[in-house]
Amino acid sequence: MRVENPVLRGFAPDPTAIRVGDRYYLATSSFEWFPTIPLYRSSDLGRWEYAGSVETAVPGRSLLGVPDSAGIWAPALSHDGEVFWVVYSIVRSIGRRFFDLETYVCTARDVSGPWSEPVRVPGHGFDPSVLHHDGRHYLLNLQNDSRVGGRRFDGIVLTELTADRAGDGTVRALAATGSTHLLLQRDELVEGPKITVENGWFYLLLAQGGTGVEHGVLTARSRSLTGPYEVDDVPMLTTRDDPSVPLQKAGHGELVQAPDGRWFLVHLASRPLRTPSGPRNPLGRETAVQPVVWTDGWPRLAHGGWHPAVTVDLPDPGAAVDPSPPVDPSAAAGVAASDAGASSGDLSPRAAGHPAGDVSRRGLHHAPGWPWSTLREPAGDWIQPLGDGRVRLRGRMGAESLWQQSLLAQRLTEHRTRAEVTVAAEPVTFTQSAGLVLWYGTRSYYQLHLTWTEPDGEPQAGQQWHGHGRRVLQLEHGHPDGARVLAVVPAPAGPVRLSVSTDGAAGTFAAGPAGGPFEQVGPQVDVSELSDDFGDELRFTGSFAGISAVDLVEGTFTAEFSDWVHRSE
């Protein structure tokens, strides 16, 4: 079967993949977004279906207050012959010598859950994984030397764990036993350790060079689990030497073996936009797959070299996997008949040689599920389903808040996309607003909101309590140097239809009366700013299109949204 990379498109970073029986399972980082730790399954490594999430991953089900791009980093899946394990770190600080992290393990008999409550394990650093070998369990981790003058990436360590199991085989307690072993130290940055056992060797795969254009996969091996480890003098995967390769930032990989004995590398990569400011990746880091062969005892890309291929041949098990996410029967009534079959389709690969499809992700349903995501907490009582694909959002905190935002969003999966929604709301103060957003983080976003402002010609004076003013559409640009208002235009009476379209780095917002013509609002915006590569901050996620509502004073203002359409090409 021939497929086109990435096989998971749009913000699907740090993939971890395993095979159990004739099925493959995959998880990715979720950072500050819910659902936490998205999970996928496949019968061929190319066509993936959403299989749920580790809903229990965060104690208290809250990441409120964590910075942008913090939260859940680099989960690792494993299977001990009885149950699935996922190990991950919750990172609460970024860019400091203390990451303020905790590392947890959850287990489940089925990847779709239910997952156990998290069990804390030693957290030497982020990017943990677990190796099950000869009936024992070993925790691998990055070591962070947080002392003044210490190195944040100070080697890879291994600690054995003993497990106390519940009656169903899931783990209810874990304890470290014996000494912690230092497996490998390098002057360069290495992280994301995974161990594969093959032909009497322990192969240690490492994410090398950070998450940017220097990223790669480095391999080391040893006859003993605790080392010493010999480092391969050839990179297994990287694009650091050639900026023209279509899939950039290639790295953070894991080896998985097919039932027929063939090997594959699942890894992250990005599809950059070429801009005057250099390459930028608003789609974030995505998941790709490469066939692997063994040469002189080392894993190598089957097509030669170390650059990732866009088009690859993968196992064909025969029956196709449905790429659509499971549909909650209670939500089905909210999908119009014309939307039957609409899905998160952009997350499935396109057959090589075929043109890009036009896939819609429509509807706003009861307790919106995948591909909808929320910030820092699960969907709550601020979402009220209304049926017929409509939803009411109760406004809460504003776009720069790290706390309770009323925002529902979907990943952008292609560089050409369009989102539309109709919003009905009557704001009576500048502290109330609702509308459409393009989102990366609290300091990088574009927001077209229906809101209130003073009468035309009157200065911005905060006198909304006088009961006079006007309903307007305001386009706001969140920026690391401070938010900016790009346009304020009169809003048509009644419900308003909002849209945003992207074509490469160019984004255009428009609005009009429901059922009427669109008119552009404000200038064309630079979508490439919604990427890891913009600004001086550490950034690790991807861009979203979505809807949001704000009420800064009482938290009671509501807005009704309907006729959501999200198309990618």
Side-chain angles (χ1 to χ4, degrees), residues 203-215:
Y203 288 91
L204 176 62
L205 263 69
L206 299 166
Q208 178 188 27
T211 61
V213 295
E214 296 296 313
H215 206 27

Side-chain angles (χ1 to χ4, degrees), residues 383-443:
I383 302 175
Q384 180 185 357
L386 302 175
D388 299 325
R390 297 176 298 131
V391 70
R392 180 177 293 133
L393 297 188
R394 175 172 57 83
R396 299 184 300 166
M397 296 178 182
E400 296 183 11
S401 174
L402 300 177
W403 299 86
Q404 295 173 329
Q405 285 205 45
S406 296
L407 183 148
L408 275 173
Q410 296 182 349
R411 287 158 170 78
L412 297 190
T413 57
E414 302 298 335
H415 290 303
R416 293 186 65 190
T417 191
R418 182 177 179 86
E420 298 180 14
V421 74
T422 298
V423 57
E426 295 297 333
V428 295
T429 160
F430 65 87
T431 60
Q432 299 172 345
S433 70
L436 183 65
V437 297
L438 276 183
W439 186 269
Y440 183 92
T442 59
R443 289 156 59 86

Side-chain angles (χ1 to χ4, degrees), residues 6 35 82 113 135 169 176 187 220 275 292 296 308 341 343 382 388 391 425 430 438 447 494:
E82 186 175 3
D187 289 336
T275 78
V292 167
D296 299 326
S343 72
W382 48 276
D388 299 325
V391 70
F430 65 87
L438 276 183
Q447 173 178 282

Side-chain angles (χ1 to χ4, degrees), residues 260-319:
D260 65 4
R262 287 185 291 168
W263 286 85
F264 297 88
L265 177 72
V266 177
H267 66 94
L268 69 78
S270 290
R271 290 175 286 161
L273 292 172
R274 309 297 176 180
T275 78
S277 301
R280 289 179 177 173
N281 297 269
L283 303 181
R285 295 169 297 150
E286 307 170 282
T287 293
V289 180
Q290 306 294 328
V292 167
V293 294
W294 294 86
T295 302
D296 299 326
W298 293 102
R300 304 276 190 243
L301 299 185
H303 60 265
W306 45 78
H307 295 159
V310 173
T311 302
V312 294
D313 290 317
L314 299 177
D316 189 350

Side-chain angles (χ1 to χ4, degrees), residues 423-427 450-453 469-473 489-496:
V423 57
E426 295 297 333
L450 186 65
T451 188
W452 176 99
T453 193
R470 56 195 174 116
R471 200 176 73 147
V472 295
L473 288 166
V489 300
V496 181

